[in-house]
């Protein structure tokens, strides 16, 4: 994942790592009061997490946990009027969602511990809890590769292969995800359809899980869809299947099931750099897959149902109307954000356009912050899920219904 960053770019890379850490911390601030107490590290005889213990899950059905948070959103209309969209959880969901979170841990060391900090709690609220309107929610804690390790990796010479620098750490994290998945199948699934959801490192974990476990077993028929956001999934140029996955195709419509939605976001007019981490394959005849969550199968623009975090101290975010005090944790600005899959200069990505007019302001949140030189490398990575989550939640409902109708 860390291809192409040379020694001369260490300062830029370190700035990105610091920015990601800052985003995790800031996004956690408004969740600390709502967080459940830290979970204890319950392990098996080999020292690995024991996922039979509920303490090793951030979200399980029927609990007051990380998924049971206030998800009401302030909605800013074109005339500046602010209303509140109240969130309602499903009381008898017929499908499941299994989520693996991105790189957020601020723990010291290469792999995180099994104690949930505010950063893990907050990313659940921003990226996953909203799926509770459609499905039962499952989200394991796992010993992920930390932001601390990411920062150290970026400071190393690019002449040392990334796999050699982080293979053991990623294998440890993947082992936890695999164990949690096996526990879910054995004791929670009961033959239900399931959607796999991840972002960044979480998508990488699920990408490996699908290739090594899901596609090789009978459970593939129960997978309603996989949403692997903010991570490269490669397919042969012009093809809907092949490459990273042997059986799971890209979704070509909202009613299709057993398929994949994946994208990495870049601002409109921005082309991923040659040294980008997302949206560009380095293999001949291979593309990075892009499926628009608002219009699967289409290359045209479509409105994105974005939910932006209303973070304290983010005046430059422009997520509110002048003179309006917005207290809701999330903000929507209908009609302002749109996206379309683009294939430009050998890169494939979801191009995101902001079209705000007064009195509404254009959001400026994203991966690059005050370091514009990072935009072609990281795009809008930290808000990939924010930008399309409303569409993904709706898609989960449509695909879930199509799956159930076919049973």
């Amino acid at each position: 994942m860390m291809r192409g960053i040379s020694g001369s770019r260490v300062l830029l890379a370190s700035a990105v790592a610091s920015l990601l850490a800052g985003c995790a911390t800031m996004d956690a601030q408004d969740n600390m009061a709502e967080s459940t107490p830290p979970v204890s590290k319950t392990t098996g005889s080999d020292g690995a997490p024991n996922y039979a213990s509920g303490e090793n899950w951030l979200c399980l059905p029927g609990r007051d946990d990380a998924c049971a948070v206030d998800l009401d959103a302030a909605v800013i209309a074109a005339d500046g009027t602010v209303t509140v969209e109240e969130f309602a959880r499903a009381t008898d969901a017929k499908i499941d969602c299994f989520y693996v979170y991105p790189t957020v841990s601020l723990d010291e060391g290469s792999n995180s511990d099994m104690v949930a900090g505010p950063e893990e709690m907050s990313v659940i609220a921003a990226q996953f809890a909203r799926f509770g309107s459609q499905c039962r929610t499952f989200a394991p804690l796992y010993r992920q590769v930390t932001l601390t390790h990411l920062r150290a990796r970026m400071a190393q010479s690019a002449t040392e292969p990334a796999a050699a620098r982080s293979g053991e750490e990623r294998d440890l994290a993947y082992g936890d995800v695999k164990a949690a998945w096996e526990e879910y199948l054995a004791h929670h699934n009961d033959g239900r359809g399931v959607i796999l959801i991840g972002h960044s490192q979480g998508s990488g974990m699920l990408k490996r899980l699908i290739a090594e476990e899901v596609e090789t077993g009978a459970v593939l028929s129960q997978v309603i869809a996989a949403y692997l956001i903010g991570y490269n999934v490669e397919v042969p140029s012009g093809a809907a299947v092949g490459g990273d996955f042997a059986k799971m195709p890209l979704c070509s419509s909202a009613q299709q099931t057993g398929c994949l939605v994946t994208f990495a976001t870049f601002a409109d007019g921005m082309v991923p750099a040659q040294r980008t981490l997302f949206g560009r394959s380095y293999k001949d005849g291979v593309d990075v897959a892009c499926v628009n969550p608002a219009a699967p199968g289409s290359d045209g623009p479509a409105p994105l149902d974005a939910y932006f975090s209303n973070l304290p101290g983010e005046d430059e975010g422009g997520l509110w109307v002048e003179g309006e005090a917005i207290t809701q944790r999330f903000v929507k600005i209908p009609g302002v954000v749109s996206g379309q899959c683009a294939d430009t200069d050998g890169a494939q990505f979801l191009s995101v356009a902001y079209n705000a007019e007064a009195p509404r302001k254009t959001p400026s949140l994203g991966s690059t912050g005050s370091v514009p030189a990072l935009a072609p490398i990281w795009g809008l990575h930290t808000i990939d899920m924010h930008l399309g989550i409303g569409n993904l939640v709706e898609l989960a409902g449509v695909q879930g219904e199509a799956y159930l109708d076919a049973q």
Side-chain angles (χ1 to χ4, degrees):
M1 179 178 169
M2 310 309 300
R3 295 169 294 192
I5 297 182
S6 69
S8 63
R9 302 189 186 101
V10 168
L11 290 178
L12 281 180
S14 297
V16 169
S18 298
L19 180 65
L20 290 175
C23 287
T25 302
M26 290 167 58
D27 210 21
Q29 287 175 348
D30 62 347
N31 191 48
M32 293 181 70
E34 300 171 354
S35 299
T36 57
V39 299
S40 64
K41 183 176 180 180
T42 305
T43 61
S45 58
D46 60 353
N50 175 14
Y51 287 102
S53 170
E55 293 180 330
N56 288 329
W57 294 81
L58 285 162
C59 296
L60 284 175
R63 297 196 321 187
D64 184 14
D65 56 22
C67 281
V69 294
D70 182 4
L71 297 174
D72 291 352
V75 183
I76 304 176
D79 64 358
T81 302
V82 180
T83 57
V84 177
E85 175 190 89
E86 296 183 352
F87 177 78
R89 291 172 183 81
T91 56
D92 187 25
K94 304 301 183 184
I95 64 172
D96 293 345
C97 288
F98 184 95
Y99 167 75
V100 184
Y101 52 89
T103 311
V104 294
S105 175
L106 301 174
D107 293 344
E108 296 297 326
S110 297
N111 291 88
S112 66
D113 59 26
M114 289 293 290
V115 177
E119 61 270 32
E120 285 94 350
M121 303 296 290
S122 187
V123 78
I124 290 286
Q127 294 194 354
F128 182 58
R130 200 168 295 278
F131 285 93
S133 65
Q134 307 295 340
C135 54
R136 298 194 307 170
T137 50
F138 294 83
L141 274 163
Y142 71 109
R143 291 171 294 178
Q144 71 163 206
V145 180
T146 63
L147 282 166
T148 307
H149 183 66
L150 173 64
R151 191 178 292 115
R153 284 173 59 192
M154 287 178 164
Q156 292 178 4
S157 170
T159 60
E160 183 183 356
R165 299 200 301 269
S166 61
E168 291 185 4
E169 291 84 0
R170 296 187 74 83
D171 284 347
L172 179 66
Y174 173 71
D176 288 356
V177 171
K178 180 174 178 288
W181 173 247
E182 291 171 345
E183 174 68 23
Y184 160 74
L185 290 179
H187 297 105
H188 297 283
N189 176 263
D190 197 26
R192 296 162 64 95
V194 58
I195 299 175
L196 299 172
I197 303 168
H199 179 247
S200 194
Q201 181 177 167
S203 291
M205 297 292 130
L206 290 176
K207 175 179 165 179
R208 180 174 173 182
L209 185 77
I210 293 169
E212 295 183 3
E213 304 294 329
V214 174
E215 287 198 323
T216 60
V219 73
L220 179 62
S221 64
Q222 293 173 236
V223 175
I224 298 169
Y227 304 157
L228 306 187
I229 313 306
Y231 200 87
N232 285 357
V233 177
E234 297 184 343
V235 293
S237 298
V241 68
D244 285 329
F245 297 141
K247 298 178 181 178
M248 185 174 288
L250 305 181
C251 293
S252 60
S253 74
Q255 289 74 34
Q256 184 181 357
T257 60
C259 58
L260 171 71
V261 174
T262 181
F263 59 85
T265 57
F266 283 78
D268 183 43
M270 181 68 64
V271 177
Q274 291 296 325
R275 64 189 186 278
T276 184
L277 303 178
F278 311 104
R280 189 180 290 277
S281 174
Y282 298 91
K283 303 174 186 175
D284 292 337
V286 173
D287 290 342
V288 173
C290 178
V291 177
N292 191 335
S298 172
D299 291 331
L304 292 177
D305 190 16
Y307 285 77
F308 294 99
S309 293
N310 186 26
L311 302 177
E314 280 291 297
D315 291 345
E316 293 303 315
L319 300 184
W320 48 85
V321 178
E322 185 175 354
E324 289 282 351
I326 294 178
T327 59
Q328 284 72 30
R329 181 170 180 171
F330 297 98
V331 174
K332 294 182 65 173
I333 41 177
V336 166
V337 189
S338 64
Q340 67 181 107
C341 286
D343 187 343
T344 305
D345 190 29
Q348 298 80 37
F349 54 98
L350 188 69
S351 179
V352 176
Y354 294 147
N355 305 292
E357 295 182 358
R360 298 189 296 187
K361 301 176 182 178
T362 297
S364 60
L365 296 177
S367 299
T368 58
S370 60
V371 191
L374 298 177
I377 302 173
W378 286 82
L380 300 171
H381 184 64
T382 59
I383 57 169
D384 285 326
M385 286 291 286
H386 294 67
L387 290 165
I389 191 169
N391 306 102
L392 289 171
V393 170
E394 180 181 4
L395 185 60
V398 173
Q399 290 180 307
E401 287 293 334
Y403 172 85
L404 292 170
D405 289 344
Q407 299 306 301

